[in-house]
Amino acid sequence: MSLHFEVVFTCFLRDSTPDTVLEALRWHLDMVPERPSGLNADEHTFPVLAPDPDGRLPGGDFASLRRQSRGFAAGRELYSWGLFSRNYWKDDEMGELVTILDLLAPYVEEPGYGGYFREQYDSEPTVFTFENGTYGPLKL
């Protein structure tokens, strides 16, 4: 019998995030049907952030990527790409966590909290953070 995990990503990506990264995220979130042509199929094997309509988490799986206003500075409006996903993963899918973290980390706008994962029946999550283009800590 396998273990199951709740996996949550929540962060802002810089407005200047390359279109290739945004398209990869849209594919992982199941917002576009085709894998982007430049995305390595060996590394990005399936859309890991796609919400399951029959998900087992209370309230279900969820996925969102949208350009959001973050306020004003120097007389202009500031924007970022807001990412939020919550999915139910099997233990053999947890290696994909690194694939998504590697995709996000270089473009995260603000250092700090980036999400968590927790085994379905655990009360304590394992939090991951972003800082200086990388992430940590991970104890899988």
Side-chain angles (χ1 to χ4, degrees), residues 38-79:
L39 202 59
N40 183 334
D42 291 331
E43 186 178 345
H44 299 266
T45 54
F46 62 97
V48 298
L49 303 177
D52 180 352
D54 297 320
R56 295 182 177 187
L57 293 171
D61 288 6
F62 188 82
S64 176
L65 175 66
R66 64 186 183 99
R67 190 168 183 250
Q68 297 177 245
S69 174
R70 301 288 313 277
F72 292 86
R76 65 181 183 92
E77 195 165 8
L78 303 175
Y79 289 93

Side-chain angles (χ1 to χ4, degrees), residues 1-6 56-57 88 118-123:
M1 186 164 166
S2 61
L3 298 175
H4 293 88
F5 293 83
E6 175 184 27
R56 295 182 177 187
L57 293 171
Y88 188 71
R118 70 173 181 86
E119 199 274 321
Q120 171 179 10
Y121 298 110
D122 284 351
S123 59

Side-chain angles (χ1 to χ4, degrees), residues 13-14 100-108 130 132-135:
L13 304 175
R14 290 190 298 271
I100 301 301
L101 290 169
D102 284 344
L103 183 66
L104 298 175
Y107 308 103
V108 170
F130 293 107
N132 297 325
T134 190
Y135 55 87

